Amino acid sequence: MNKKVSLVVNLVLLVAVVILGYNLYEIIQEPVRFQKIKEQRYTKIKERLEQIRDVQKTYRAEYNEFAKDLNSLIAFVDTGKQSIIVRKDSSFMYYDEVFQQERSKDTTIVRVLGYKNVKESLFGSNFDANKLQYIPMTENKFKFEMEANKIKVGDVVVPVFEARAPNVDVFADIMGKYSDFIDKDYGLKVGSMTEPTLSGNWK
């Protein structure tokens, strides 16, 4: 083998080593890159879900139920009023016919002093309530899924709601590239339709 052929072979081997090394590096780096993207998006989505939960808690305090859809939730933020309530412990006397004597009974007196704007109270007057419906970092292409109802827990009927951001929507733009690392059946959510909780599934 002359020097020219040997040089060509060595160059080919060098190129092959470089390509193999680069491919190996890419294989190692792919899950690292996806993890960074995931953390960045999940952080924003958690913040938005917590905002939705805050509005729902305020809505329930006013109406004893949760808003059933995102449009109702947004309208409540834009135009709704939140009661300013003062509670005071008190007691009163009543006649107990069983014991045939007067007895004292504790109670709580609730007074509504006035009302305050929901948007300003929760987020500030410049907050854009319309963005509550969109999953962050999806360029407003995907909306949260949300529903509300009432369930029976023991002998008590309680309102429940759930807001979700499915992974298939959260990572729709990079699904082709990172499909192997994405759990397509998972998604971030707050609340539950089957139990009375307002917790997020990341805690």
Side-chain angles (χ1 to χ4, degrees):
M1 183 182 294
N2 59 41
K3 290 183 179 180
K4 188 174 181 180
V5 173
S6 177
L7 180 60
V8 171
V9 171
N10 287 336
L11 285 173
V12 170
L13 289 174
L14 179 61
V15 170
V17 168
V18 170
I19 292 173
L20 288 172
Y22 176 77
N23 288 338
L24 180 60
Y25 174 81
E26 284 298 302
I27 291 172
I28 295 171
Q29 287 300 308
E30 265 200 347
V32 175
R33 291 194 191 102
F34 173 71
Q35 189 61 32
K36 289 181 179 178
I37 294 171
K38 178 182 175 181
E39 289 176 2
Q40 185 182 33
R41 295 189 182 190
Y42 271 15
T43 296
K44 297 292 185 182
I45 292 168
K46 289 174 188 177
E47 291 173 356
R48 185 64 52 79
L49 284 170
E50 287 171 349
Q51 289 177 330
I52 290 174
R53 177 174 58 194
D54 289 342
V55 178
Q56 284 284 32
K57 287 166 65 177
T58 304
Y59 191 99
R60 182 186 61 181
E62 293 298 317
Y63 303 112
N64 198 34
E65 65 180 9
F66 291 114
K68 296 186 182 300
D69 54 56
L70 290 164
N71 288 335
S72 300
L73 200 75
I74 292 167
F76 179 64
V77 173
D78 274 333
T79 63
K81 301 293 182 182
Q82 181 180 4
S83 300
I84 303 171
I85 294 173
V86 171
R87 289 179 171 85
K88 182 180 179 182
D89 293 332
S90 183
S91 63
F92 63 91
M93 300 300 294
Y94 74 101
Y95 184 75
D96 191 323
E97 294 187 0
V98 176
F99 293 96
Q100 295 188 354
Q101 64 180 19
E102 286 195 341
R103 299 172 69 91
S104 176
K105 186 173 184 178
D106 294 330
T107 186
T108 300
I109 299 173
V110 178
R111 291 180 59 198
V112 177
L113 300 181
Y115 300 91
K116 54 186 175 181
N117 183 273
V118 172
K119 180 192 290 189
E120 193 167 335
S121 174
L122 293 179
F123 307 115
S125 58
N126 294 324
F127 182 76
D128 180 8
N130 192 56
K131 70 181 183 181
L132 284 171
Q133 64 186 312
Y134 296 111
I135 298 173
M137 305 187 77
T138 64
E139 297 181 350
N140 293 352
K141 292 179 180 178
F142 297 97
K143 295 180 179 182
F144 287 101
E145 298 173 357
M146 194 183 81
E147 56 185 321
N149 207 336
K150 291 185 178 181
I151 62 172
K152 197 168 184 180
V153 181
D155 295 327
V156 181
V157 176
V158 296
V160 293
F161 93 96
E162 183 175 307
R164 301 175 296 272
N167 273 350
V168 291
D169 294 341
V170 173
F171 303 113
D173 60 323
I174 56 173
M175 186 64 72
K177 184 174 183 179
Y178 295 109
S179 179
D180 292 342
F181 310 115
I182 299 171
D183 182 352
K184 300 169 187 65
D185 297 321
Y186 181 77
L188 292 177
K189 70 172 187 174
V190 291
S192 169
M193 293 301 294
T194 58
E195 55 182 316
T197 177
L198 298 180
S199 297
N201 63 344
W202 61 89
K203 294 180 180 179

